[in-house]
């Protein structure tokens, strides 16, 4: 196996960030167009937005170095101790050098089942496995099969060409793995549990973002909330899919602000979903609110339909926080004005700006990966 030291792995990730920020690869753009052609939800514009966020917020030297330094156990994967230490390359803590540790441990093969609901949604798992020094066996989503393989090829070329085959394997079916990270719906999670349950695993289910409002939000707050509702057509687990509002809440200011996203109706898939649910609710004579961009409906569920947003009234914030704590396994994140809740919250507009340390479902993936060496 071609072994890369931790500084070398960090250096390749930083170089990938530089490459993506240049935004001048015509072949990558062709893969984006091919993806949109095969899956209308993964538009070129949305894909470019996801790639830009990854390149600027994750794949920069400062963020990558801080990410690595948070895990003292990194850099101890197996490599012959007798080999001379390689010099530090690129970025990363000076202490991470080949051959420096006497307790070097064997890396594992980590099976990855990637989702495809929004662009690049599985890429964080891919680079987490790479950062940890393990090997990734990747089952791509049929909904998004083109871009990640191309970027792995780019990464290979950014290092000493040929190393990537020892760290990444693309497969149609997982086999011979030591541990698994699988992401899917609640239904697929039951299948994952049955199939992968005997292995060390992280299995992710449906979760969504929620927002708690008190009626004193500014227009700027509501516009930022709109970004977190509509980005990627609301298909991501970090999208806000439900609002909690005080009883008697006036929805008119919110509906007026959210009308700014009415151009989503130009997207055929989005419009079809909007029209279907609008007609269904009308025929069934159910109460709902609409502004041409979104359908708001009172519902105790967390996962709203496409082009829809659920809401629920609360009478007391203390009681609401108890309920949210009890339903934590359904919630990816909570947005609210700072100080409104004693729970951990995000500011409006931050849902789709996760850092490298914002792990899905609150499970520290890298810490788990490092523990597999024990």
């Amino acid at each position: 196996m071609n072994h890369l030291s931790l500084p070398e792995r960090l250096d390749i990730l930083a170089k990938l960030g530089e490459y993506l920020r240049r935004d001048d690869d015509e072949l990558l753009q062709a893969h984006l167009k091919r993806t949109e052609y095969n899956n209308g939800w993964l538009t070129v514009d949305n894909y470019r937005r996801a790639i830009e966020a990854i390149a600027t917020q994750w794949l920069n030297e400062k963020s990558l170095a801080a990410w690595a330094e948070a895990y003292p156990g990194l850099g101890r994967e197996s490599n012959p101790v007798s080999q001379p230490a390689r010099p530090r390359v690129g970025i990363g803590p000076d202490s991470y050098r080949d051959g420096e540790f006497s307790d070097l441990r064997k890396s594992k093969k980590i099976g990855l089942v990637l989702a495809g609901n929004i662009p690049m949604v599985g890429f964080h798992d891919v680079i987490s496995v790479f950062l940890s020094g393990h090997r990734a066996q990747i089952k791509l989503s049929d909904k998004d099969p083109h871009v990640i393989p191309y970027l792995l090829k780019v990464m290979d070329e950014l290092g000493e060409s040929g190393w990537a085959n020892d760290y990444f394997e693309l497969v149609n079916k997982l086999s011979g793995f030591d541990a698994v990270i699988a992401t899917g719906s609640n239904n697929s999670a039951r299948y994952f549990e049955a199939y992968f349950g005997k292995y060390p695993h992280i299995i992710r289910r449906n979760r969504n973002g929620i927002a708690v409002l008190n009626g004193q939000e500014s227009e700027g707050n509501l516009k930022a909330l709109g970004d977190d509702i509509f980005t990627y057509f609301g298909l991501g687990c970090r999208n806000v899919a439900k609002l909690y509002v005080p009883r008697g809440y006036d929805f008119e200011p919110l509906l007026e602000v959210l009308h700014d996203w009415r151009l989503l109706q130009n997207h055929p898939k989005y419009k079809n979903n909007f029209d279907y649910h609008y007609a269904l609710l009308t025929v069934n004579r159910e109460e709902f609110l609409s502004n041409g961009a979104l359908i708001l409906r009172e519902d105790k569920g967390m996962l709203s339909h496409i082009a829809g947003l659920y809401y629920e009234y609360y009478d007391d914030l203390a009681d609401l926080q108890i309920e949210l704590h009890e339903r934590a396994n359904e919630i990816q994140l909570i947005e609210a004005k700072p100080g409104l809740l004693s729970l951990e919250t995000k500011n409006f507009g931050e849902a789709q700006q996760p850092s490298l340390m914002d792990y899905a479902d609150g499970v520290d993936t890298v810490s788990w990966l490092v523990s597999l060496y024990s």
Side-chain angles (χ1 to χ4, degrees):
M1 175 176 176
N2 291 320
H3 176 81
L4 299 176
S5 67
L6 178 59
E8 288 172 321
R9 299 196 297 271
L10 290 168
D11 190 53
I12 288 170
L13 291 174
K15 287 179 178 177
L16 178 63
E18 294 174 3
Y19 155 81
L20 292 174
R21 289 191 292 274
R22 288 200 303 269
D23 192 25
D24 59 359
D25 187 336
E26 294 183 0
L27 186 54
L28 174 60
Q29 301 309 312
H31 282 296
L32 301 189
K33 292 178 181 178
R34 181 185 181 190
T35 298
E36 181 178 28
Y37 178 81
N38 288 296
N39 181 357
W41 290 116
L42 303 184
T43 65
V44 171
D45 287 344
N46 277 346
Y47 225 115
R48 288 173 62 87
R49 174 174 181 152
I51 288 175
E52 181 182 3
I54 287 171
T56 57
Q57 297 174 38
W58 292 359
L59 303 183
N60 63 78
E61 293 190 1
K62 183 178 179 181
S63 295
L64 290 166
W67 194 28
E69 288 167 357
Y71 303 95
L74 285 175
R76 301 187 182 189
E77 65 275 6
S78 61
N79 189 51
V81 181
S82 59
Q83 288 187 2
R86 291 191 181 113
R88 179 175 180 269
V89 180
I91 62 177
D94 287 327
S95 60
Y96 296 131
R97 299 173 183 268
D98 291 340
E100 183 167 332
F101 297 95
S102 61
D103 62 341
L104 296 175
R105 298 161 294 183
K106 187 177 181 180
S107 64
K108 303 293 194 298
K109 182 181 289 188
I110 313 300
L112 299 180
V113 180
L114 304 189
N117 50 316
I118 66 173
M120 300 290 287
V121 67
F123 193 64
H124 190 277
D125 285 337
V126 173
I127 64 174
S128 293
V129 173
F130 182 53
L131 177 79
S132 71
H134 292 300
R135 295 158 288 154
Q137 185 180 88
I138 304 169
K139 170 65 172 68
L140 297 165
S141 169
D142 294 338
K143 299 176 181 178
D144 189 11
H146 305 301
V147 178
I148 287 180
Y150 179 71
L151 293 183
L152 296 181
K153 180 181 178 182
V154 170
M155 289 173 64
D156 188 50
E157 295 171 352
L158 292 173
E160 297 178 6
S161 186
W163 64 266
N165 288 335
D166 291 317
Y167 281 91
F168 306 114
E169 178 187 10
L170 299 174
V171 298
N172 293 321
K173 182 179 180 180
L174 300 186
S175 64
F177 49 85
D178 300 299
V180 176
I181 302 174
T183 303
S185 66
N186 288 342
N187 287 333
S188 60
R190 286 191 284 271
Y191 164 78
F192 294 152
E193 288 282 5
Y195 192 76
F196 301 129
K198 63 182 180 180
Y199 302 94
H201 61 266
I202 295 175
I203 294 177
R204 304 194 185 105
R205 296 166 175 79
N206 286 339
R207 292 198 186 206
N208 289 95
I210 66 169
V212 179
L213 309 182
N214 67 354
Q216 299 178 20
E217 289 74 23
S218 67
E219 181 178 344
N221 291 150
L222 298 180
K223 285 185 176 181
L225 172 61
D227 279 332
D228 294 333
I229 294 170
F230 292 109
T231 299
Y232 308 128
F233 302 107
L235 295 172
C237 65
R238 301 182 65 86
N239 285 103
V240 172
K242 181 172 184 175
L243 305 179
Y244 285 89
V245 298
R247 195 167 302 279
Y249 180 80
D250 180 8
F251 282 97
E252 285 305 316
L254 175 65
L255 288 169
E256 183 175 347
V257 168
L258 297 186
H259 190 248
D260 289 349
W261 280 267
R262 62 192 178 278
L263 292 181
L264 285 176
Q265 288 278 15
N266 293 335
H267 188 273
K269 287 180 173 291
Y270 189 90
K271 179 174 174 53
N272 287 343
N273 276 273
F274 181 95
D275 290 347
Y276 170 79
H277 288 288
Y278 190 97
L280 184 65
L281 292 170
T282 301
V283 169
N284 291 337
R285 298 184 178 181
E286 295 187 43
E287 293 186 4
F288 66 94
L289 302 169
S290 178
N291 63 354
L294 192 71
I295 298 169
L296 281 80
R297 181 159 62 94
E298 185 175 2
D299 197 294
K300 291 187 175 298
M302 289 289 187
L303 179 60
S304 57
H305 55 77
I306 297 172
L309 181 68
Y310 290 161
Y311 69 87
E312 190 173 344
Y313 292 111
Y314 66 85
D315 295 300
D316 182 82
L317 279 174
D319 291 339
L320 174 60
Q321 291 184 102
I322 293 172
E323 178 185 343
L324 297 182
H325 178 74
E326 292 173 346
R327 301 184 68 177
N329 63 347
E330 301 175 65
I331 300 171
Q332 190 68 256
L333 58 85
I334 302 172
E335 287 194 348
K337 294 184 70 173
L340 182 65
L341 304 176
S342 60
L343 302 172
E344 180 180 352
T345 62
K346 297 281 187 183
N347 291 328
F348 298 111
E350 291 183 351
Q352 296 298 340
Q353 300 178 34
S355 73
L356 285 167
M357 298 288 287
D358 282 326
Y359 294 105
D361 296 7
V363 178
D364 189 326
T365 309
V366 175
S367 181
W368 178 78
L369 288 165
V370 171
S371 74
L372 296 177
Y373 283 112
S374 302

